[in-house]
Amino acid sequence: MSYQLYWLAGSPYSWRALLSLEIKGLAYEGKLLSGANREHKAPAFLALNPRGKVPVLTDGDTVVCDSLAIMMYLDRKHPTPSLFGENAVETGRIFQVMGELGDFLAPAATTFVNIVFGGQVRNKVAEAKELAQEILKELDHFDGVLGTRPFLVDDKLRAADVML
């Protein structure tokens, strides 16, 4: 039986799970949900994930919610190619970069997207500009890293690259 992945278009969290499946070359059935129709809040989906969030991966009777949990699940079940490293040093470096992405880039990016797509730009121009500068600063940092090697951590595609 192949995996089933429930996802929403436009969801970076869904993209993480989709990319992980593709990187590992795994067969899966994509279950694109309609955000406009709120299919992620329908009873059938809430039976899989009571939080009503995507992505959700099913593997037979196993249900895994949250993009990072899905990435870890797939990496443990299919260790090659490794998304989280083959030893403690690699794993530590990967999680360090993932922490930087989560702590410094994601909050500014999420708030910026909410302002822009929430129709609040006119009321929050100064905040949006400040957030844009913060985002650009973080992206410049990671661009500098990528100027010295092909991927964020080492010479292999890792979970940190997928997260970015």
Side-chain angles (χ1 to χ4, degrees), residues 24-83:
K24 292 189 168 287
L26 301 172
Y28 66 95
E29 180 183 355
K31 300 282 195 173
L32 177 59
L33 302 175
S34 170
N37 293 335
R38 299 187 49 81
E39 289 180 338
H40 59 298
K41 302 297 183 183
F45 184 77
L46 293 174
L48 293 173
N49 183 358
R51 294 188 184 276
K53 301 287 185 185
V54 293
V56 171
L57 179 82
T58 61
D59 179 15
D61 292 335
T62 301
V63 177
V64 185
C65 305
D66 183 78
S67 61
L68 187 55
I70 291 168
M71 292 169 68
M72 288 292 294
Y73 178 83
L74 294 172
D75 208 48
R76 291 294 237 171
K77 199 159 179 194
H78 307 277
T80 306
S82 175
L83 293 174

Side-chain angles (χ1 to χ4, degrees), residues 45-150:
F45 184 77
L46 293 174
L48 293 173
N49 183 358
R51 294 188 184 276
K53 301 287 185 185
V54 293
V56 171
L57 179 82
T58 61
D59 179 15
D61 292 335
T62 301
V63 177
V64 185
C65 305
D66 183 78
S67 61
L68 187 55
I70 291 168
M71 292 169 68
M72 288 292 294
Y73 178 83
L74 294 172
D75 208 48
R76 291 294 237 171
K77 199 159 179 194
H78 307 277
T80 306
S82 175
L83 293 174
F84 292 94
E86 286 111 28
N87 59 54
V89 172
E90 289 177 359
T91 301
R93 288 182 179 154
I94 292 162
F95 271 92
Q96 177 180 329
V97 174
M98 289 173 62
E100 291 174 3
L101 289 165
D103 291 344
F104 303 111
L105 180 58
T110 299
T111 304
F112 181 82
V113 166
N114 288 338
I115 289 172
V116 171
F117 291 103
Q120 302 174 28
V121 174
R122 290 182 186 202
N123 301 330
K124 297 187 176 190
V125 171
E127 184 180 357
K129 285 182 180 180
E130 185 178 313
L131 289 164
Q133 289 302 311
E134 190 175 333
I135 292 164
L136 288 172
K137 177 184 160 197
E138 288 303 316
L139 291 175
D140 282 345
H141 165 75
F142 291 111
D143 190 46
V145 170
L146 290 169
T148 64
R149 58 183 171 257

